[in-house]
Amino acid sequence: MPGQFEELRALLDKLAEKEFRDTIRGFLEAEDVTRLPSPLEEIDRGSFLGYLKQRRKLAQYREYLKKYYPKIFSRSKIDKKEKNHVERVPFTNRQDEIDAITPTSSEALAKYFLIHAPSGYGKTDLLKELVKWFRKKKWHNAYIAVSGDMTLVSVTQGLAKKLEVKIGDDDTPSPGIKLSAALISHYRLQHKNKKYQGLVLLIDLDKAPAQDLLGKILDELIPDIYENLFNTQLFKSGQMQFRVVIAGRSLADTKEVKSTNLPLDIRALSPFTYRVIKTTVDKYLSNHTSDERLKLAAHTVFLTGGHPSCMARLLELFRDQPMPADVFFETKHEEIQQIIQAETKHVEEGLPKGSDGLNTALRVLMVYRHVNSFILDILRKRYIEESEFRDTSDFEDKLTESYIFTRNQYILKDDVSRRLMTMYLREYQPDTFVDYCRYARELCEEYLKVHDIQTPPLWILEYLFQWLQEHSAKKIGTQEARKSLRSEFFDNVLPYAMDLYLKRHSNLTKIQCKEDQKALISELGQMRQWEFEFAVNYFLRSESYDNSPYHDFEKRITDLLDKRYMEISA
C-alpha cells in the first residue's frame, strides 16, 4: 500500500502545472513560499512534497487538497490513458506562457495568442497542457493539429468535431460564420445550465502547413467567429470569454502575421537550458540519488544538445532499464545513437537544398552559436561556387528559406536543432568536426583583430567555446584527459584570449580595460551563454558534474583583467 508521500505524488499528477502551483500559493504563507528549495515557478512535485515531509506537513496538505480539489480523490487508481500522460517526461519551463494564456475574470473578453518557436521546443506539449487546464475550468475547448494538406474548410470541420457541433462541408457561408452559428445554437441549449465559462480554440501548425492557410485563419476564420459570437448577449455581457491559441514554427516573422489586423499576443518559447533539463530529470526520476541525476542531466545535454524529443526518449529508456548513469551511457550507446539519428534525419529535411558547396557550408555553420555577415562572406567564398549566389545577401536569402535560419545578428535561430546536428557530426565524423571548430575559432580570432567590431565580449566567448568544442571530440573521455585539458585551457588558452580581447585597442587605457571587463562579465550573465557555461563545466569537470569549473573560469578572467589594469600606465 503506497505511503502518504506516494499517494500525494499520484494525486498531484492529476493537476495541471498551473493548478499545482496554485495549491502551493494557497497552502503556504507568502513568507514560506520564499523558503522553498527552488523558485515557485521551477519547483517540481517531488521536491515540494519532500519540503513538506521535512516539516511534517504532508497530512495538512492532503486535507487542503481534499477541501479545495476534491475531484482528484474521486478515483483510487489512475486509468491507463492518464497514467501514460503522467509518465511522459515533464519539461518544466513553460509556466510563464501557461499563466499568460489562462484567463482571469478581469481580462479582455477576447484574446489571441501566437506561440512560435523552432521544432522541438515543446509547442504541442504546451497546447495539450492548456487543453487540460481549460477543460478543468469548464471551457468549451478544441485542439486541432493542422497538417500540410488541410484547407480552411477542413480545419473548421475539425474544430467543429472537437466542439461536438455539426456544420456542412462547403464554404458558403464562410467557415467561420458556419462554425459560430452552430456554436450559438449549441450554447442556447446549454445556457440554462451555465455549462461553459468560455470558448478556446487551440490550433497546432507545427506540421508546417501552407502559409496562406495561416493568413486565412488569422484574417477570415477568427474574425468571422468573433463577430458572430459577440453579436450575442452571452459573449457581449462577458458570461463567456473567447480565446484562440495558435502555435507553430517561427511564425512571428511571416508576412501573414506581420500584416494581420488581429491583435496578437506573440510569445516566443525559450530554449531548454541545462537548468531546465536538470529540473526535468529531478522531477521525472526523483527516486534516484542527487549525484546520479546530475550525471544523467549532464550526459543527456552533451549527447542530445538539449533536443526535447531526443531527451524524452533517452530518459524513458533510462527509466525502463535503470542502472548507474555512467554504465547506462556506456552500455546503451548504440540505442541512444539510434534515437539521435532518427531526429537528426528529421532536422536535415528542413535544411535549404542546393549544391554540394551549399550543403558543406550548412554543415560548417552548425558548429557556430553566432554568425554574422563577416563569417558568412568568408564561408560563401570558401565553399560555394561564385556563380551560385550574387553576394552574401543573396546567400542569406537562401539560408532563410528554412525555419532553422533567420536574418538577424544570430543567423542560426534554431539552436536546439543546430546543437543536435553538431552532436551527430562529433559522434560520426570527429575529424571533420574538429576541423570545422578549429576553423571557426580562427575566424573568430580574425574578426576580433578588426578594430571596429560589434559586441567583442560575444566573440571572445565564441572563440573560447570553439576551442572547447574542438577538443571535446577526443580529449574528454577520462578524468585524466579532462585534467590535462583543464590545465591547458586555464594556463594557456584563457590568457591568450584575454590578450586578444584587449588588443583591438591600439593604445589601451585603464578606462577601456575596466569597461571591457564590465562588458565581458555582463555578457557572461546573459541567458544565451548557458551553452558556454555548460561546455566549461562538462568538458573540464573532475569526476562529477558541478559548477566549479565555471566559477574558476570567472575568477581567472577577473584576475587576468585586474592584472592587466594594474600594468597600464595612468
Side-chain angles (χ1 to χ4, degrees):
M1 185 174 179
Q4 196 168 53
F5 184 101
E6 290 74 21
E7 180 200 24
L8 287 170
R9 180 60 188 266
L11 291 169
L12 289 182
D13 280 336
K14 299 181 183 181
L15 296 175
E17 284 297 319
K18 185 174 187 298
E19 288 181 306
F20 162 58
R21 295 177 206 289
D22 285 344
T23 71
I24 299 176
R25 295 185 185 96
F27 179 70
L28 294 180
E29 298 291 337
E31 186 177 347
D32 289 333
V33 172
T34 65
R35 295 172 180 162
L36 291 170
S38 301
L40 176 62
E41 65 274 14
E42 295 177 9
I43 194 167
D44 60 80
R45 289 159 171 80
S47 298
F48 175 63
L49 291 176
Y51 169 85
L52 294 182
K53 185 176 181 180
Q54 287 180 345
R55 286 153 183 79
R56 299 181 179 180
K57 290 187 176 181
L58 288 178
Q60 295 147 273
Y61 184 58
R62 188 182 187 280
E63 290 302 312
Y64 172 86
L65 291 177
K66 199 164 187 178
K67 180 177 179 181
Y68 293 100
Y69 298 85
K71 289 186 178 180
I72 63 175
F73 289 84
S74 60
R75 288 175 294 160
S76 59
K77 294 183 179 180
I78 302 174
D79 61 40
K80 185 176 181 181
K81 183 177 180 181
E82 186 173 356
K83 182 179 179 182
N84 288 338
H85 176 81
V86 168
E87 290 181 349
R88 293 192 62 210
V89 179
F91 294 109
T92 56
N93 68 332
R94 299 296 177 237
Q95 193 58 43
D96 287 346
E97 288 79 12
I98 292 173
D99 288 342
I101 294 168
T102 51
T104 63
S105 58
S106 60
E107 287 185 305
L109 298 182
K111 292 188 77 172
Y112 314 105
F113 295 89
L114 184 77
I115 307 296
H116 76 112
S119 176
Y121 269 50
K123 297 180 293 295
T124 297
D125 279 352
L126 172 60
L127 290 181
K128 291 181 178 179
E129 187 69 30
L130 287 168
V131 169
K132 285 177 59 181
W133 190 95
F134 280 107
R135 185 177 295 139
K136 286 177 181 290
K137 296 299 180 181
K138 298 188 182 302
W139 277 58
H140 201 191
N141 63 86
Y143 164 81
I144 183 170
V146 179
S147 58
D149 58 351
M150 293 181 75
T151 65
L152 190 63
V153 171
S154 57
V155 168
T156 310
Q157 289 173 331
L159 291 170
K161 184 176 180 180
K162 294 293 181 68
L163 294 166
E164 298 181 333
V165 297
K166 292 183 178 181
I167 61 172
D169 57 3
D170 56 38
D171 56 2
T172 306
S174 74
I177 294 295
K178 289 173 66 174
L179 177 58
S180 56
L183 287 169
I184 290 168
S185 298
H186 179 73
Y187 296 144
R188 282 173 180 162
L189 295 174
Q190 302 292 338
H191 180 57
K192 290 182 180 180
N193 298 326
K194 295 184 178 179
K195 184 175 180 180
Y196 302 119
Q197 299 297 315
L199 167 68
V200 58
L201 308 178
L202 301 111
I203 303 173
D204 189 347
L205 301 178
D206 200 43
K207 300 301 181 184
Q211 287 190 353
D212 63 336
L213 178 57
L214 172 61
K216 290 178 180 178
I217 291 172
L218 294 175
D219 297 330
E220 297 178 29
L221 181 65
I222 297 173
D224 285 349
I225 293 173
Y226 169 84
E227 185 174 355
N228 212 18
L229 290 179
F230 279 82
N231 278 330
T232 69
Q233 190 62 25
L234 189 61
F235 281 86
K236 192 185 299 183
S237 66
Q239 295 177 63
M240 286 184 68
Q241 292 180 310
F242 180 45
R243 292 285 183 279
V244 179
V245 186
I246 299 172
R249 299 176 183 178
S250 303
L251 297 176
D253 296 324
T254 62
K255 66 178 187 298
E256 289 77 12
V257 169
K258 290 179 178 179
S259 63
T260 186
N261 291 322
L262 210 62
L264 292 172
D265 185 340
I266 299 176
R267 303 267 167 170
L269 296 186
S270 58
F272 291 97
T273 64
Y274 170 76
R275 187 176 68 173
V276 171
I277 295 160
K278 172 61 170 56
T279 302
T280 294
V281 171
D282 286 342
K283 181 177 181 179
Y284 186 61
L285 299 166
S286 58
N287 57 323
H288 291 261
T289 67
S290 175
D291 186 57
E292 282 295 290
R293 296 198 304 267
L294 277 170
K295 289 180 181 179
L296 186 61
H299 290 327
T300 298
V301 175
F302 175 68
L303 288 171
T304 68
H307 193 284
S309 177
C310 287
M311 289 192 300
R313 294 177 61 192
L314 189 154
L315 294 177
E316 287 165 359
L317 180 65
F318 180 82
R319 179 202 62 196
D320 294 339
Q321 304 179 48
M323 58 186 75
D326 290 335
V327 176
F328 169 76
F329 283 99
E330 183 177 346
T331 60
K332 299 298 177 183
H333 180 79
E334 186 174 337
E335 291 175 66
I336 292 169
Q337 290 306 319
Q338 288 175 354
I339 291 171
I340 294 170
Q341 284 180 37
E343 195 61 42
T344 302
K345 184 177 180 181
H346 174 70
V347 172
E348 285 180 325
E349 291 171 355
L351 292 174
K353 303 300 185 289
S355 65
D356 290 343
L358 174 63
N359 294 336
T360 300
L362 289 172
R363 288 197 299 273
V364 173
L365 278 168
M366 289 298 168
V367 304
Y368 293 82
R369 296 184 306 153
H370 318 293
V371 294
N372 56 14
S373 58
F374 174 85
I375 291 173
L376 285 178
D377 190 53
I378 292 175
L379 295 182
R380 178 180 66 85
K381 292 174 181 176
R382 180 182 176 102
Y383 294 108
I384 303 172
E385 291 289 335
E386 187 175 350
S387 59
E388 189 165 353
F389 298 106
R390 294 189 306 274
D391 51 26
T392 299
S393 178
D394 193 28
F395 180 32
E396 287 186 16
D397 287 341
K398 182 65 175 178
L399 294 179
T400 55
E401 287 181 8
S402 168
Y403 66 88
I404 289 181
F405 298 95
T406 183
R407 183 177 282 105
N408 196 301
Q409 183 181 2
Y410 313 110
I411 296 297
L412 302 184
K413 186 167 185 175
D414 188 353
D415 56 339
V416 168
S417 294
R418 172 191 61 76
R419 290 199 300 272
L420 183 66
M421 296 289 286
T422 299
M423 307 308 154
Y424 182 85
L425 184 64
R426 183 181 57 209
E427 173 70 21
Y428 292 100
Q429 299 179 48
D431 292 335
T432 300
F433 173 74
V434 168
D435 288 343
Y436 287 171
C437 294
R438 182 182 298 117
Y439 186 52
R441 175 171 56 83
E442 291 169 355
L443 288 188
C444 289
E445 181 168 358
E446 185 177 340
Y447 185 58
L448 282 159
K449 289 178 178 177
V450 178
H451 293 305
D452 186 23
I453 69 171
Q454 295 180 333
T455 58
L458 188 77
W459 291 103
I460 197 62
L461 293 179
E462 186 68 13
Y463 170 88
L464 291 168
F465 178 76
Q466 294 300 340
W467 188 91
L468 288 168
Q469 278 205 134
E470 178 186 336
H471 293 80
S472 70
K474 301 179 179 179
K475 297 185 178 181
I476 63 169
T478 65
Q479 188 172 338
E480 189 62 32
R482 292 192 298 273
K483 182 179 179 181
S484 174
L485 191 69
R486 182 170 178 158
S487 296
E488 184 179 358
F489 180 77
F490 284 133
D491 296 342
N492 300 318
V493 177
L494 188 56
Y496 178 82
M498 291 302 98
D499 284 343
L500 180 63
Y501 178 53
L502 297 175
K503 272 185 178 178
R504 69 188 193 282
H505 301 295
S506 56
N507 187 21
L508 181 67
T509 66
K510 282 183 176 291
I511 292 176
Q512 288 172 330
C513 184
K514 188 57 67 176
E515 289 299 317
D516 280 0
Q517 182 176 357
K518 289 179 181 177
L520 183 54
I521 297 301
S522 175
E523 179 60 39
L524 285 171
Q526 300 298 313
M527 180 177 288
R528 64 189 175 205
Q529 294 300 340
W530 79 266
E531 189 179 354
F532 175 73
E533 179 180 347
F534 173 79
V536 171
N537 286 330
Y538 189 83
F539 299 155
L540 307 182
R541 72 191 188 278
S542 295
E543 183 175 359
S544 297
Y545 178 92
D546 59 33
N547 220 34
S548 59
Y550 193 70
H551 288 323
D552 195 5
F553 169 77
E554 291 178 310
K555 183 178 183 303
R556 287 177 184 253
I557 279 183
T558 299
D559 291 345
L560 285 167
L561 295 179
D562 282 347
K563 180 182 178 183
R564 187 71 183 93
Y565 177 85
M566 297 303 295
E567 293 170 351
I568 301 171
S569 300

